Amino acid sequence: MSQITWTQTDEAPAMASYSFLPIVQAFTKSADIEVKTRDISLAARVIALFPERLEAEQRIDNELQKLGDLAKTPVANIIKLPNISASVPQLKAVIAELQSKGYKIPDFSENPQTDEEKAIREKYTTVLGSAVNPVLREGNSDRRAPSAVKNYAKKFPHSMGEWLSSSKSHVATMSAGDFRSNEKSITMGENTEAKITFRGQDGNEIVLKEAVPLETGEVVDATFMSKKALVQFLETQLEDAKDKGVLFSLHMKATMMKVSDPIIFGHAVKVFFADVINKHAETLEQLNVNFNNGFGDLYNKIESLPAEIEADIQKIYASRADVAMVDSHKGITNLHVPSDVIIDASMPAAIRAGGKMWNKNDELQDTKFIIPDSSYAPLYDETIKNCIANGALDPRKMGTVPNVGLMAKKAEEYGSHPTTFEVPADGSIMVTDAKGNTIHEQVVEEGDIWRLVRVKDESIRDWVKLAVNRAQKSGWKTIFWLDEDREHHIELRKKVDEYLKDYDISGLDIEIMPVKDAARVSIERIRAGENTISVTGNVLRDYNTDLYPILEVGTSAKMLSIVPLMAGGGLFETGAGGSAPKHVQQLLKDNYLRWDSLGEFLALVPSLEQVAALDNNVRAKILANALDKATEKLLENNKSPQRKLGTIDNRGSHFYLAMYWAEAVAKQTEDAELASKFAEVFKNLAENEETINQELLSVQKQAVDLGGYYKHDFENVSAVMRPSKTFNDVIDNI
């Protein structure tokens, strides 16, 4: 029997799976395919950390590790839904919920004192930020808009805000002292085990990391962000924002870059609220406020602020540049919670809205977009400049920018968490090999953020292969985004130039460009209706695969994301989860889930195609082709979740997908037995369309109980997400 693994994750994607997965399992068993689940939700990952503290019936295996092991095998076929990349506030929330359910797990201490507290904190850090993706991504990324989605966007274009030539919106980034400026890079000539050591000016040494295995051909970088340079940059930009009359808006990736970015976020908060923090330092220290968790941490520590502190906060708001708002009605600013404004979601949304963000009066306003590290800022800078010069993009005429991303084996920045450190004092940090030879050494100051970043040779070789493969299959212009003056990119380019020689690329349009030029050319070409494959490192993969899809098709959740695993299997990712929390809030309040499972529909097609190819499973190919047709019909008939209560939601879209899928299987001529079976399914669904719709719609506009937010109750959620008995009876009896 063939096998597909479906991940249980968090929030809206998890809720949707309760409705959609029974449909998938019912259809695929006809092709002798078993669709199994593995729970990699945040709650499950936390529970798996502390088996010794739990009752026997509460203990669970480390499903993420098991899935990671599977990803290294040629039989891997994994459909991975969006999961929570936990911030500290989210981690604390899941701990509290689990404790309330009787799980005797320990508290998370931000300032551990005892050895036990330090050990507990160390365990918890393994579930913070991008804990899932590096484990599963044993291959590089191939991400693009499927033709059905692209065609739909051209026929039914999403709204785009007006761009004015007078717009003051712009990107602000550091010109010195950031990670890019301080980067040193080297390619290893032999296998070794490196040690990272801090040496203070007094000569005392602290071993930061005892053993970091490095491989021959691996690119190894050391870099740091200067605290002094960062604080000066933020202070200058804050004044400039006020002078220009634009919103001050910080854009970080504090969820994925779980060590470095929260520290940077904290500095921005401390610069903005400096007067309040300095004046009330003693009180804030007593409350143990950690501004790396955002200014909202102050409110979390004390629900009702003393009148004097509240008054001083209001004075800050009155005297400083206006800050962009997340929720102006509740007074929640861009600086409240690090996970509220994630750059790869917030920047494309602002560009779609004409370069504006919301101000305190709930109005859109021109904005200064603060992106401290200059490695990635040109992507957004060039896009904004193009829109100011040429106006809003037109989805009806736009080309496309798919991406081939270097992410295998925890490549680059997203794998740097265990080797990222806040510098304890003035001194230097050294990286030495097993023989004591210096690989990198840098002079640093107290508060600087230092990190070691790596990418393995086999990952780069596979990345080049995937890029050439996409260029050959598409015939489109293909651009490697590599700066000529960034040390890491210089090392990568040597390898790219070498590995391109392994292929006949004489008839292909493959070019290597600096990030700034590549971003400019890509936005110019997309505006002209031309297609351009971007071949990028890991962070730009993340940013590109949100920016361009959101501009092209309205959302990155509608992208087809394939990770051809280096061992031979496949990982199929289903879109972005940035809006997932808001959807769950609406489900709880109104029993209405607006989450669109289109990403799951799209990912299931290549997953089934892999089964067909590897296992010579003809029925899997029939199901894949039929699902492709069903998805296109779903889009054409506008049966995706709507925006208003009383209309079709996630569950209704699953019904129509199932009906169209059954219809397409019934109409195929390769397998008469399968056609006959699904003709009956289609007949039962079509004849009961009105009844099923009524059953699905009738449950809306009432609160529901999921039995928990992070760890919900299976029976509760199943009842909520499968409310149509008529529909369930048809599906469960296939």
Side-chain angles (χ1 to χ4, degrees), residues 233-267:
F233 164 74
L234 291 167
E235 288 173 342
T236 299
Q237 297 307 320
L238 198 49
E239 290 301 316
D240 189 61
K242 185 175 182 181
D243 291 344
K244 287 185 167 64
V246 295
L247 296 178
F248 178 90
S249 187
L250 179 67
H251 297 264
M252 303 294 302
K253 188 74 169 179
T255 49
M256 294 282 273
M257 296 308 300
K258 62 184 180 184
V259 180
S260 60
D261 282 23
I263 298 171
I264 297 170
F265 195 96
H267 284 307

Side-chain angles (χ1 to χ4, degrees), residues 237-538:
Q237 297 307 320
L238 198 49
E239 290 301 316
D240 189 61
K242 185 175 182 181
D243 291 344
K244 287 185 167 64
V246 295
L247 296 178
F248 178 90
S249 187
L250 179 67
H251 297 264
M252 303 294 302
K253 188 74 169 179
T255 49
M256 294 282 273
M257 296 308 300
K258 62 184 180 184
V259 180
S260 60
D261 282 23
I263 298 171
I264 297 170
F265 195 96
H267 284 307
V269 173
K270 285 179 273 193
V271 166
F272 192 92
F273 294 101
D275 291 348
V276 169
I277 293 170
N278 293 334
K279 181 177 177 181
H280 301 283
E282 189 175 334
T283 302
L284 298 179
E285 188 173 347
Q286 289 172 356
L287 291 170
N288 196 26
V289 175
N290 183 354
F291 289 114
N292 290 5
N293 296 333
F295 194 67
D297 196 54
L298 174 57
Y299 292 97
N300 292 337
K301 295 288 168 59
I302 180 166
E303 287 186 14
S304 181
L305 290 181
E308 184 183 2
I309 295 181
E310 187 61 63
D312 288 339
I313 291 171
Q314 294 310 315
K315 286 179 187 175
I316 291 280
Y317 285 135
S319 63
R320 291 286 202 191
D322 285 342
V323 64
M325 305 298 289
V326 170
D327 189 332
S328 56
H329 299 290
K330 296 180 180 177
I332 297 175
T333 75
N334 177 281
L335 299 175
H336 264 59
V337 183
S339 55
D340 269 353
V341 184
I342 302 172
I343 182 170
D344 45 342
S346 59
M347 285 301 303
I351 292 169
R352 256 193 75 179
K356 301 173 187 290
M357 294 194 72
W358 297 99
N359 63 22
K360 62 189 176 185
N361 299 318
D362 206 26
E363 298 168 340
L364 287 168
Q365 184 176 336
D366 287 349
T367 303
K368 176 187 284 289
F369 300 103
I370 306 293
I371 304 172
D373 188 9
S374 61
S375 305
Y376 328 111
L379 167 65
Y380 303 111
D381 184 44
E382 289 298 322
T383 305
I384 286 172
K385 286 176 178 174
N386 183 280
C387 290
I388 290 174
N390 301 290
L393 291 147
D394 185 348
R396 295 170 299 178
K397 301 175 182 177
M398 288 170 66
T400 188
V401 182
N403 179 263
V404 174
L406 174 59
M407 69 176 193
K409 295 188 174 295
K410 305 180 184 179
E412 302 187 310
E413 295 92 333
Y414 285 164
S416 69
H417 311 311
T419 51
T420 300
F421 307 95
E422 191 168 20
V423 178
D426 292 358
S428 60
I429 291 182
M430 296 159 291
V431 183
T432 52
D433 66 16
K435 299 173 184 175
N437 299 315
T438 299
I439 299 172
H440 291 302
E441 182 173 1
Q442 289 168 306
V443 176
V444 290
E445 297 178 327
E446 182 180 355
D448 290 352
I449 307 164
W450 185 97
R451 71 187 183 202
L452 187 79
V453 175
R454 295 171 288 157
V455 56
K456 297 188 184 302
D457 181 65
E458 63 178 315
S459 300
I460 300 167
R461 191 185 293 269
D462 182 76
W463 178 55
V464 173
K465 180 182 78 172
L466 189 56
V468 172
N469 182 44
R470 289 291 296 127
Q472 289 172 333
K473 285 186 175 180
S474 67
W476 297 344
K477 185 176 185 65
T478 301
I479 302 175
F480 282 85
W481 296 38
L482 295 172
D483 287 329
E484 297 166 339
D485 58 348
R486 180 182 168 190
E487 291 221 4
H488 176 66
H489 283 184
I490 292 169
E491 294 301 305
L492 282 188
R493 175 146 191 178
K494 292 175 188 174
K495 290 177 176 287
V496 170
D497 286 338
E498 184 63 29
Y499 297 150
L500 281 174
K501 294 175 185 175
D502 295 340
Y503 307 95
D504 178 9
I505 60 171
S506 54
L508 304 178
D509 186 1
I510 296 178
E511 215 175 330
I512 301 174
M513 291 186 187
V515 170
K516 181 182 176 66
D517 293 344
R520 176 182 51 77
V521 169
S522 296
I523 196 67
E524 287 173 352
R525 286 175 59 84
I526 203 173
R527 185 181 288 279
E530 297 174 319
N531 306 323
T532 315
I533 298 171
S534 65
V535 188
T536 69
N538 208 351

Side-chain angles (χ1 to χ4, degrees), residues 195-209 421-431 442 444-446:
K195 180 164 70 172
I196 305 173
T197 308
F198 168 75
R199 179 186 292 151
Q201 290 183 334
D202 57 5
N204 290 329
E205 293 187 352
I206 302 170
V207 176
L208 300 176
K209 195 78 173 176
F421 307 95
E422 191 168 20
V423 178
D426 292 358
S428 60
I429 291 182
M430 296 159 291
V431 183
Q442 289 168 306
V444 290
E445 297 178 327
E446 182 180 355

Side-chain angles (χ1 to χ4, degrees), residues 50-55 58-59 102-106 116 120:
F50 302 100
E52 72 284 356
R53 293 173 176 260
L54 304 178
E55 301 296 329
Q58 293 177 322
R59 294 173 194 157
Y103 288 83
K104 295 178 181 177
I105 57 174
E116 183 185 20
I120 290 169

Side-chain angles (χ1 to χ4, degrees), residues 485-620:
D485 58 348
R486 180 182 168 190
E487 291 221 4
H488 176 66
H489 283 184
I490 292 169
E491 294 301 305
L492 282 188
R493 175 146 191 178
K494 292 175 188 174
K495 290 177 176 287
V496 170
D497 286 338
E498 184 63 29
Y499 297 150
L500 281 174
K501 294 175 185 175
D502 295 340
Y503 307 95
D504 178 9
I505 60 171
S506 54
L508 304 178
D509 186 1
I510 296 178
E511 215 175 330
I512 301 174
M513 291 186 187
V515 170
K516 181 182 176 66
D517 293 344
R520 176 182 51 77
V521 169
S522 296
I523 196 67
E524 287 173 352
R525 286 175 59 84
I526 203 173
R527 185 181 288 279
E530 297 174 319
N531 306 323
T532 315
I533 298 171
S534 65
V535 188
T536 69
N538 208 351
V539 174
L540 279 170
R541 167 202 61 81
D542 207 358
Y543 296 1
N544 280 16
T545 57
D546 273 302
L547 174 62
Y548 295 116
I550 287 172
L551 297 179
E552 289 178 43
V553 300
T555 173
S556 58
K558 295 181 179 180
M559 292 292 280
L560 179 58
S561 184
I562 300 172
V563 182
L565 299 171
M566 289 192 287
L571 174 70
F572 308 95
E573 302 193 64
T574 70
S579 58
K582 293 179 181 177
H583 291 330
V584 178
Q585 290 162 16
Q586 188 174 21
L587 176 66
L588 288 166
K589 178 174 173 283
D590 298 317
N591 198 357
Y592 179 88
L593 186 66
R594 213 181 91 198
W595 176 261
D596 191 343
S597 293
L598 182 62
E600 289 90 299
F601 307 160
L602 298 172
L604 187 54
V605 172
S607 170
L608 289 167
E609 288 173 343
Q610 178 177 298
V611 171
L614 293 183
D615 299 341
N616 196 26
N617 188 325
V618 176
R619 284 190 167 183

